[in-house]
Amino acid sequence: PVLDPMCGSGTFLIEAAEIAAGLHPGRSRQFAFEQLAWRTDPPRGALIIAGSTGSTPASLTLMQAALELPRGRVVLPGLDTDASPQDWDAIAGVANHHQSALAATLKAFGTPASTVPTWPTSTDAGADAARNRLIHEALAPADLTGDWRERIESLAAGQAPGAAVAEALSGFTLIEADDEAHEAQLAALLLRAGLETGDGHIALVTPDMDLARRVTALMQRWSVDVEPSAGMPLMRTGQGLALSQVLAWWQAPDDPVHVAALVKSPLLAEPLDGADRLERNVLRGPKRWTSLAGLAARCEPGSPERALVETLAAATEAASGPAQRSGLDWAEALAGLVQALGLTEPLWRGQAGQAAAKLIDDTASLLDAFADHTLAVFAEMVAVRAAGVVVAPATPGHPRLSIWGPLEARLQSADHLVLAGLNEDVWPHRPGADPFLPAHFKAALGLPDPEERMGLMAHDFAGLACAPKVTCLYAQRRGDAPAVGSRWIWRLKTLVKGAGADGALDPAPGTDPRPWADALWAVPEHLKKPSNFAEPRPKPPLEARPARLSVTRIDWLQRDPYAIYAQSVLRLSPLDPLAKPIGPAERGTAIHAALEKVGKGQIPAETEALSVAIEAALADAGMEPAALAASGAVTRQTAAWCLDWLAGRAPQVSAVDAEVRGQLDFTIAGASFALSATADRIERLGDGLAILDFKTGAPPSNDQIEAGLAQQMPLQALIAQSGGFAGVASAPVTELVYVAFKAKPSVSVISADPAELVVAAKDGLTRLIAAYRNPDQAFPSAPRVQFVGYDYGYNRLARRAEWMAETSDE
């Protein structure tokens, strides 16, 4: 009951939001009317229906019944009582016009718009009325825009049209953002500024819930909590996210992505014991296991991470059962799984937890009406039904800030409205085409025209735009694509321009949030640096510089010194992604391991044995069974070619050493330095040595080797002739050979004289290491980028994308 100046005490108020929310469905309300017998026994108090346009049969029936009551009232929102009968005739034929639903309602009532009285108000509505008339005119049907100049002059009532329009738009501002992220930032700044300037109650109104959530997150930088009143989708809450993680992991318990997400769930107050080490040291890189037992075997015995994996295995074992189960059985198994994981208390607590529990119960009850089904069906049904579950805000609303949807804003007011998301396909959102039923068929069947939804959205905008203080926001780009401002914005801009009121939509001085946003991102002058200092050029102390490098790292030092700095000085290693597909490095390591077994006589030098060893090594490295099967024929063909080629060399070879390690010590620039290497295969040919290097990719060219850019093999030769390889007597190196072990195998013998290459390599190594013994020598990032074949893993750390375009010598 409310006290109303028109209807007296005992008033029963039904709001449009209640009808729209389904609290008064049409059929149920009709039955209620019959039961209450309103016509024969009217309610003792007044009955007011407020805020509804009568756009649905349910609301129209309810409104007609109320009007038959002695003390019934219907309050039509935003009715244009100034429109002429000719205007109403034009409006009636335009379904997407903001007054079209009201036109249909008045026609059903048999009441002309001009006879509808205005709700009494105690304030001077002169300025509001001028804005109201201007907005109605801006959204007029296309047939009525041909004489806009005359209509504007009529609205001006003797004033200059430009002055009249500018006066009507006093307090109305239009701002264009760069993109949706910029738009959210501008909206947040307007809300924050309103708190400072005492604007009273400030409300952001938008149908774009992603934009609303962005603003909520941005406001938290100032420790201001304001949540969308529409609530948060369940799957965006911690409980919803955890529920989806549990269901995804349950379907693939050994998947590294799902395991990492589960054990490091943000719902947990802190990660489970061993979760960090499990994620960092075991789960990253290619997947090398096929079950949780295999994953546990990859963990160190007795470690927390192994105990954690064993806990996961025990939980899945407890939830195991038939592959086909009823909905209630799956729900019961899920509850047991959650309990075994220790997530019972955090997953089901709070409003979000209650919504998640109800979702599971409802889904189980629904599926129980059908035959038994798989876990995948149960999980998919939960995900589909969860899309429509919204959790109400957990905390009370801010006393001066609100974030509303258009329907919520219709029956509320604020001192300053910020209307955001005013782009086509956002606000208004055009309904998609119906592939089954064209619009003219719907009309013939008496079904609503999809364009009517556009009209209702236009009605919401028109009502909100008439508030005393309004700021409208739209973006130039959305989703990395150009965006178009709302049709309502363009119509208003066209009307303002035609009236000669340029600048009437611009923000007043000192109120434009765009300079504030620019200031947030501006770099202070004292932090700005010339572009030639943007490139990192670290100069670590001499004692921190590497005193030991492998022959492959010598090539790194020439091509990308910063990579050596990051790896050997900072001790940083690139972190592999979860479930990383097997790459060239893992494939090369696996093939080298199999060839090592042949070289050391651990397996027969036979095609089948080598192929099996390679496939086993690739499987252990994480190659998928399907990929192994697809590459099997190529592997066998290449293995046969390689063994045949080695057999052809066998008569000349007196001894073979495979995967042999070596080291050579130097004193360079007064300090010791160790050069290390692992040779794939060293063969003794008479009084000399041949060094073979197996490549799964393209070997370096002779030109690169002679130019000193690829020194791996010459440096290995230097170690070999100095007796640095364990178990290999020193001897001159007479042959350096690259063997390309791939689909099109080949042999590449380095054409230059190995003895000359060794001399040049030793001289180059000495000069290179001596240069980096100079404290002024920096470790630049790929100074000669044309010689760098690929990223060694540290380009992002070196911020190359930020400065490389500014460096002219690149």
Side-chain angles (χ1 to χ4, degrees), residues 4 7 65 71 86 197 218 236 258 272 300 348-349 475 552 670 685 688 712 768 770 805:
D4 181 80
C7 303
R71 300 182 64 192
Q86 294 78 15
T197 57
L218 289 170
R236 288 182 177 266
H258 297 326
L272 300 173
E300 187 177 339
W348 309 123
R349 70 181 172 209
T552 55
L685 305 175
Q712 176 186 353
L768 180 67

Side-chain angles (χ1 to χ4, degrees), residues 14 172 206 319 451 605 671 753:
I14 300 178
F172 187 97
T206 180
E451 289 292 315
D753 182 3

Side-chain angles (χ1 to χ4, degrees), residues 371-388:
D372 291 353
H373 44 268
T374 63
L375 173 59
V377 172
F378 176 75
E380 182 67 19
M381 184 62 73
V382 170
V384 170
R385 291 177 58 82

Side-chain angles (χ1 to χ4, degrees), residues 57-82:
S59 58
L60 188 60
T61 301
L62 184 61
M63 293 160 73
Q64 288 174 325
L67 288 176
E68 294 177 2
L69 299 175
R71 300 182 64 192
R73 291 286 188 275
V74 173
V75 182
L76 297 177
L79 179 65
D80 184 5
T81 56
D82 295 321

Side-chain angles (χ1 to χ4, degrees), residues 318-645:
S320 62
Q324 299 270 348
R325 308 187 208 179
S326 68
L328 293 177
D329 286 342
W330 281 120
E332 184 178 352
L334 174 62
L337 184 65
V338 170
Q339 183 175 9
L341 294 172
L343 287 171
T344 299
E345 195 278 329
L347 183 57
W348 309 123
R349 70 181 172 209
Q351 290 180 301
Q354 293 174 14
K358 187 176 186 303
L359 169 68
I360 297 301
D361 288 344
D362 292 347
T363 304
S365 299
L366 175 65
L367 290 176
D368 232 36
F370 302 94
D372 291 353
H373 44 268
T374 63
L375 173 59
V377 172
F378 176 75
E380 182 67 19
M381 184 62 73
V382 170
V384 170
R385 291 177 58 82
V389 179
V390 177
V391 180
T395 58
H398 192 282
R400 291 181 55 203
L401 300 179
S402 299
I403 300 179
W404 297 330
L407 181 62
E408 299 166 280
R410 183 188 294 179
L411 296 176
Q412 301 183 83
S413 61
D415 298 290
H416 182 186
L417 289 179
V418 179
L419 310 184
L422 285 166
N423 283 96
E424 284 295 307
D425 284 333
V426 178
W427 195 10
H429 176 69
R430 176 174 289 279
D434 190 336
F436 302 105
L437 203 60
H440 64 278
F441 283 175
K442 290 185 177 181
L445 294 172
L447 297 176
D449 187 341
E451 289 292 315
E452 292 178 6
R453 292 299 311 162
M454 304 287 285
L456 293 175
M457 287 184 274
H459 180 270
D460 290 338
F461 169 76
L464 296 168
C466 291
K469 185 174 183 180
V470 181
T471 302
C472 296
L473 299 174
Y474 70 100
Q476 286 184 314
R477 298 182 65 84
R478 280 184 171 270
D480 293 330
V484 178
S486 166
R487 63 191 65 188
W488 313 317
I489 294 299
W490 285 105
R491 277 177 155 262
L492 185 58
K493 291 174 71 173
T494 302
L495 181 63
V496 169
K497 185 175 182 179
D502 293 340
L505 297 173
D506 296 340
T511 63
D512 191 343
R514 286 171 292 192
W516 308 339
D518 294 341
L520 285 177
W521 292 102
V523 178
E525 289 296 327
H526 68 280
L527 293 180
K528 293 182 179 178
K529 296 181 179 180
S531 60
N532 60 329
F533 285 106
E535 177 187 355
R537 301 183 65 87
K539 298 177 182 178
L542 293 180
E543 60 271 17
R545 302 191 180 203
R548 177 189 182 90
L549 288 174
S550 67
V551 293
T552 55
R553 293 304 185 267
I554 294 298
D555 283 346
W556 279 33
L557 186 59
Q558 292 191 92
R559 297 168 183 261
D560 190 1
Y562 186 86
I564 293 296
Y565 164 77
Q567 185 181 73
S568 300
V569 178
L570 299 182
R571 307 291 183 185
L572 297 177
S573 298
L575 203 59
D576 285 333
L578 294 166
K580 172 191 171 186
I582 185 172
E586 291 81 15
R587 180 177 175 82
T589 300
I591 291 175
H592 276 81
L595 291 171
E596 178 186 0
K597 292 181 178 179
V598 172
K600 292 183 175 180
Q602 297 173 354
I603 60 174
E606 299 172 355
T607 299
E608 185 62 25
L610 178 57
S611 300
V612 170
I614 291 174
E615 290 179 356
L618 288 172
D620 189 62
M623 181 173 279
E624 296 289 338
L628 276 173
S631 63
V634 173
T635 298
R636 283 168 171 75
Q637 178 183 339
T638 308
W641 172 90
C642 182
L643 292 175
D644 287 345
W645 182 80

Side-chain angles (χ1 to χ4, degrees), residues 568-800:
S568 300
V569 178
L570 299 182
R571 307 291 183 185
L572 297 177
S573 298
L575 203 59
D576 285 333
L578 294 166
K580 172 191 171 186
I582 185 172
E586 291 81 15
R587 180 177 175 82
T589 300
I591 291 175
H592 276 81
L595 291 171
E596 178 186 0
K597 292 181 178 179
V598 172
K600 292 183 175 180
Q602 297 173 354
I603 60 174
E606 299 172 355
T607 299
E608 185 62 25
L610 178 57
S611 300
V612 170
I614 291 174
E615 290 179 356
L618 288 172
D620 189 62
M623 181 173 279
E624 296 289 338
L628 276 173
S631 63
V634 173
T635 298
R636 283 168 171 75
Q637 178 183 339
T638 308
W641 172 90
C642 182
L643 292 175
D644 287 345
W645 182 80
L646 291 174
R649 293 174 59 87
Q652 310 169 45
V653 178
S654 59
V656 173
D657 291 278
E659 291 295 320
V660 57
R661 298 180 183 276
Q663 178 175 316
L664 193 58
D665 296 321
F666 298 85
T667 299
I668 301 176
S672 61
F673 177 80
L675 178 69
S676 63
T678 299
D680 292 346
R681 183 181 177 97
I682 300 178
E683 298 176 343
R684 185 167 291 276
L685 305 175
D687 294 333
L689 299 175
I691 300 179
L692 279 63
D693 190 57
F694 294 98
K695 293 288 187 185
T696 55
S701 66
N702 282 296
D703 290 342
Q704 290 176 318
I705 294 170
E706 292 180 22
L709 295 173
Q711 291 296 285
Q712 176 186 353
M713 288 287 269
L715 289 174
Q716 286 189 13
L718 172 63
I719 297 174
Q721 76 172 26
S722 303
F725 281 108
V728 180
S730 62
V733 175
T734 59
E735 192 175 20
L736 297 174
V737 183
Y738 283 110
V739 181
F741 193 98
K742 53 185 182 178
K744 292 184 178 180
S746 62
V747 174
S748 175
V749 180
I750 297 176
S751 60
D753 182 3
E756 295 179 1
L757 290 177
V758 166
V759 173
K762 183 176 182 181
D763 179 63
L765 173 68
T766 303
R767 288 186 288 107
L768 180 67
I769 300 303
Y772 281 93
R773 297 294 189 198
N774 182 349
D776 293 328
Q777 174 62 50
F779 286 74
S781 173
R784 293 178 294 278
V785 70
Q786 66 270 29
F787 299 125
V788 179
Y790 56 91
D791 178 10
Y792 291 110
Y794 299 94
N795 280 354
R796 291 190 66 185
L797 184 66
R799 300 176 291 104
R800 288 189 61 84

